[in-house]
């Protein structure tokens, strides 16, 4: 009976099945590597956004608010004038 089992396992179909399993294992390893790389990239992006937000918050001074307000007022005036003169489509 032991000889029958040994012959049965050595059939080419089982060797092909083992090759398929090895191929799937390789693909899983590649996917795991890509997922971990993507996670690392996302963490870098999140940290970059935090740093950018910190810089923006640091730059919000009275001077920045006033200059931004004047810029908005000027833009509103220019758009209103263009509307009155029908220059805007």
């Amino acid at each position: 009976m032991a000889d029958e089992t040994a012959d049965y396992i050595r059939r080419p179909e089982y060797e092909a099945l083992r090759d398929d399993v090895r191929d799937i294992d390789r693909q899983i390893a590649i996917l795991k590597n890509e997922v971990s790389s993507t996670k690392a990239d996302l963490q870098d992006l999140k940290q970059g956004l935090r740093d950018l937000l910190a810089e923006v918050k640091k730059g919000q001074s009275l001077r920045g608010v006033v200059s931004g307000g004047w810029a908005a007022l000027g833009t509103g005036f220019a758009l209103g004038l263009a509307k009155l003169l029908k220059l805007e489509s």
Side-chain angles (χ1 to χ4, degrees):
M1 184 161 172
D3 292 332
E4 290 175 18
T5 306
D7 291 336
Y8 184 69
I9 291 175
R10 291 183 187 151
R11 289 179 52 186
E13 296 87 13
Y14 288 99
E15 194 61 39
L17 181 63
R18 281 190 227 130
D19 288 341
D20 289 343
V21 171
R22 286 185 199 120
D23 186 44
I24 290 170
D25 284 341
R26 270 182 279 192
Q27 291 175 3
I28 288 172
I30 290 169
L31 288 174
K32 283 182 178 179
N33 186 32
E34 289 176 2
V35 166
S36 65
S37 175
T38 303
K39 284 183 179 179
D41 290 345
L42 284 174
Q43 290 298 340
D44 289 344
L45 285 172
K46 285 180 182 179
Q47 185 59 46
L49 287 173
R50 284 188 206 109
D51 294 344
L52 183 61
L53 183 60
E55 287 295 320
V56 167
K57 284 182 178 179
K58 194 179 353 176
Q60 286 181 342
S61 63
L62 180 60
R63 180 180 176 201
V65 170
V66 170
S67 98
W70 282 112
L73 185 63
T75 302
F77 178 75
L79 288 174
L81 186 61
K83 186 76 169 180
L84 286 174
L85 297 176
K86 299 189 185 206
L87 296 175
E88 185 180 334
S89 56

